[in-house]
Structure formats: C-alpha cells, structure tokens
C-alpha cells in the first residue's frame, strides 16, 4: 500500500523512480479506508535527505500512511530553503490541537550540548508533553531518543571519548515483544553520535524495557511498557551512502573522525559501502506501524487540523 504525501514534494519523484507506491491527495480521497496519520518532527539539517530516508521506511507496509512534516520555530534552519519549509512543513502551533496515530522525532546535531542549552529546548518540551495525549505511539531517533528519555524519565546522557561512528552488531532481547518480531538474533545498525544515554539508568527504570543492545554501541532499542514511547539510539533509516557523506564532510572540515566501523569493504573508503541493515530496518518500521500504531489507534480518527 502507498504512502500519501503532497503531490509536489521534491523527493516524490525519487521515491517513484525506486518503484515505491506514492499516492497524492487527488487519488487518496477515493480510497475508502481509514489511513494512518503520521507526523515527522524533522530536526536534521539536511531535511530533504531525511524526508527521503524515512519515507522509504514507511512505505513497506500494507497500510495507507498519510505523512506530514513539522519543524521548530525557535531555530532557523540553515541547510534547507525557507520556501521548502513554508510549503511542506507545519509548526507546533499549526498542529497542537490535532491528533496523530504515529509521530517520529528525528536526530539533531546538538547532542554535545546540554539539553537546556539547545535553543529550541523549551519548544521540544512542549512537543514531548503534547505527544503523551495527542499521539498513539511516538518513535524517537538518536538525539530525539536521548531527549525523550531525558524529558520523560530523567535519563541523563554522557559524552563519549570519541564519536560512535559506523555499523555495529546488536543482540535482540525479549524476542516475544512484537517490535522485534522477525529479527535475527543479531542484526546490524548504523550509529553516528558523540553521546549516549545512561544504560544503567534505563535498565533500572521499571517503566522501560531494553529490546536490543550492542557491546560496542550500547543500548540501541528501548520502549515503555505500553509501546506509546519507543526510543532508537541509532539511524536504521540511513541509506547506503549517508555515513560516507558524513565521514567525507568531517574530514574536509577538520573534525576529528575515524572511518566508519564495519562499513567500507576492507576498510577502504574508495570502495562502495556495504548495505547491511536495510532488511531489519524495514522490519522495525513495519512492526512499529502495525503493532504500535495501527493496532492501538482508535478506528474513529480524533482529527487532524487541515
């Protein structure tokens, strides 16, 4: 089944070229089904790259998924045009009276700052509180996961001695939990971060369950008891070349960085990177949409502001 986005969203053509079923508004109004409403709070600097990555993940489901995007108003985006943001993005004030079946909070390049020093942290607090009453299930990614764990459960984050950067093996815990249904015992996933949430605090919290972790990368996947809050510490949505772009960007700007671990064949950055995580990434997003969004959301939709 398709994902529904605005007809003139620039990444629509790329998705169609990849044979992903994308539906525009005109066709969607003729579908006599209850679509799933998903909103993405996109905090990443290259917003169109993140749009494309997440829309790929959300397309692998038999459900019709209506996707909209949200931006913060207390931070000025420097890498995405205002015309794009004004055309395709809502603000929190636009949607604060709306209800969503699912909500995604992306990572952000602010992880080395204390949460309270991030310029849009007060706005983030409003949004995180709002998700508790206006969203069926919220998926937090990377810094978004650290922020959500800190706001909702007081879990601190710690600086790492160097950037955790590469593709790491993770072991599944609690196999009967539907979020990891279909996972192998071990699976690979990308990470790109300078901090980590405190694993001991997470495991000590009776409201949280660790579903996957790695000896090298630490806790990877966490959920609360009813699945209304899910926290993923890495970037399963990344495409094949994302870490390569980040590595070459950091090298060019003089940021201390090592080659991404378990990524280039023979650790040779001139070689095409290995794509080792796409299957489990697709399963992860499909499980989230099916078991924690679609199965739990009310059939009568409470409403989304137009």
């Amino acid at each position: 089944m398709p994902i529904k986005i605005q007809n003139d969203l620039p990444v629509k053509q790329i998705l169609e070229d990849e044979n992903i079923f994308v539906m525009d508004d005109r066709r969607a109004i003729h579908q006599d089904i209850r679509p799933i409403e998903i909103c993405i709070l996109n905090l990443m600097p290259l917003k169109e790259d993140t749009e494309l990555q997440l829309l790929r993940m959300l397309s692998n489901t038999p459900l019709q998924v209506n996707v909209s995007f949200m931006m913060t108003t207390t931070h000025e985006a420097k890498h995405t045009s205002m015309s794009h943001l004004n055309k395709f993005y809502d603000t929190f004030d636009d949607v604060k009276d709306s209800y969503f079946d699912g909500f995604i909070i992306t990572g952000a390049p602010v992880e080395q700052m204390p949460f309270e020093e991030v310029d849009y942290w007060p706005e983030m607090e409003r949004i995180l509180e709002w998700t508790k009453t206006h969203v069926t299930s919220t998926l937090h990614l990377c810094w978004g996961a650290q922020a959500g764990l800190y706001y909702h459960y007081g879990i601190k984050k710690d600086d790492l001695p160097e950037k955790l950067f590469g593709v790491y093996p993770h072991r599944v815990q609690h196999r009967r939990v539907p979020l990891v249904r279909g996972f192998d015992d071990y699976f690979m996933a990308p990470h790109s971060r300078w901090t980590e949430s405190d694993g001991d605090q997470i495991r000590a919290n009776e409201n949280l369950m660790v579903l996957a972790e790695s000896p090298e990368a630490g806790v990877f996947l966490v959920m609360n008891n009813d699945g209304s809050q899910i926290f993923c510490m890495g970037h399963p949505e990344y495409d094949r070349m994302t870490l390569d772009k980040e590595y070459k960007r950091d090298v060019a700007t003089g940021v201390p960085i090592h080659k991404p671990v378990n990524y280039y064949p023979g650790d040779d950055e001139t070689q095409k990177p290995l794509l080792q995580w796409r299957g489990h990434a697709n399963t992860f997003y499909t499980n989230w949409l099916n078991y924690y969004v679609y199965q739990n959301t009310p059939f009568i939709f409470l409403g989304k502001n137009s």
Side-chain angles (χ1 to χ4, degrees), residues 66-79:
N66 293 353
V67 180
S68 55
F69 296 95
M70 185 196 295
M71 63 179 179
T72 59
T73 57
T74 45
H75 177 78
E76 181 180 351
K78 298 184 175 74
H79 303 281

Side-chain angles (χ1 to χ4, degrees), residues 126-142:
R126 292 177 64 206
I127 293 169
L128 288 164
E129 185 64 25
W130 167 86
T131 63
K132 289 159 50 174
T133 54
H134 287 70
V135 178
T136 300
S137 182
T138 300
L139 174 59
H140 310 69
L141 300 174
C142 200

Side-chain angles (χ1 to χ4, degrees), residues 86-229:
N86 290 334
K87 187 171 187 179
F88 298 111
Y89 280 69
D90 294 319
T91 67
F92 178 62
D93 284 340
D94 293 329
V95 304
K96 64 183 180 182
D97 296 323
S98 300
Y99 293 83
F100 291 92
D101 303 307
F103 194 75
I104 298 175
I105 301 175
T106 72
V110 294
E111 59 192 272
Q112 291 178 285
M113 301 171 62
F115 293 114
E116 290 81 4
E117 293 183 12
V118 175
D119 57 3
Y120 52 84
W121 183 248
E123 187 175 7
M124 275 293 295
E125 291 183 302
R126 292 177 64 206
I127 293 169
L128 288 164
E129 185 64 25
W130 167 86
T131 63
K132 289 159 50 174
T133 54
H134 287 70
V135 178
T136 300
S137 182
T138 300
L139 174 59
H140 310 69
L141 300 174
C142 200
W143 181 83
Q146 296 178 357
L149 287 167
Y150 178 71
Y151 177 79
H152 293 300
Y153 301 101
I155 306 295
K156 68 176 183 176
K157 66 180 173 72
D158 299 309
D159 292 333
L160 294 169
E162 62 178 356
K163 188 176 185 179
L164 183 72
F165 190 51
V167 185
Y168 297 88
H170 303 77
R171 184 175 179 86
V172 173
Q173 315 289 327
H174 304 287
R175 297 197 59 85
R176 297 194 178 195
V177 174
L179 190 62
V180 292
R181 185 168 293 170
F183 278 39
D184 295 327
D185 288 342
Y186 287 91
F187 65 95
M188 306 296 284
H191 290 263
S192 177
R193 52 187 167 85
W194 292 91
T195 59
E196 66 178 359
S197 294
D198 190 301
D200 291 336
Q201 287 189 3
I202 293 171
R203 282 182 283 267
N205 192 305
E206 62 182 9
N207 298 305
L208 298 173
M209 178 187 302
V210 176
L211 297 180
E213 57 185 320
S214 163
E216 298 88 2
V219 171
F220 175 72
L221 188 59
V222 179
M223 63 176 275
N224 69 346
N225 292 332
D226 64 1
S228 61
Q229 296 167 343

Side-chain angles (χ1 to χ4, degrees), residues 27-40:
R27 183 168 181 179
I29 61 175
H30 299 292
Q31 301 289 306
D32 189 21
I33 63 173
R34 157 75 159 86
I36 298 299
E37 297 286 345
I38 303 292
C39 184
I40 299 172

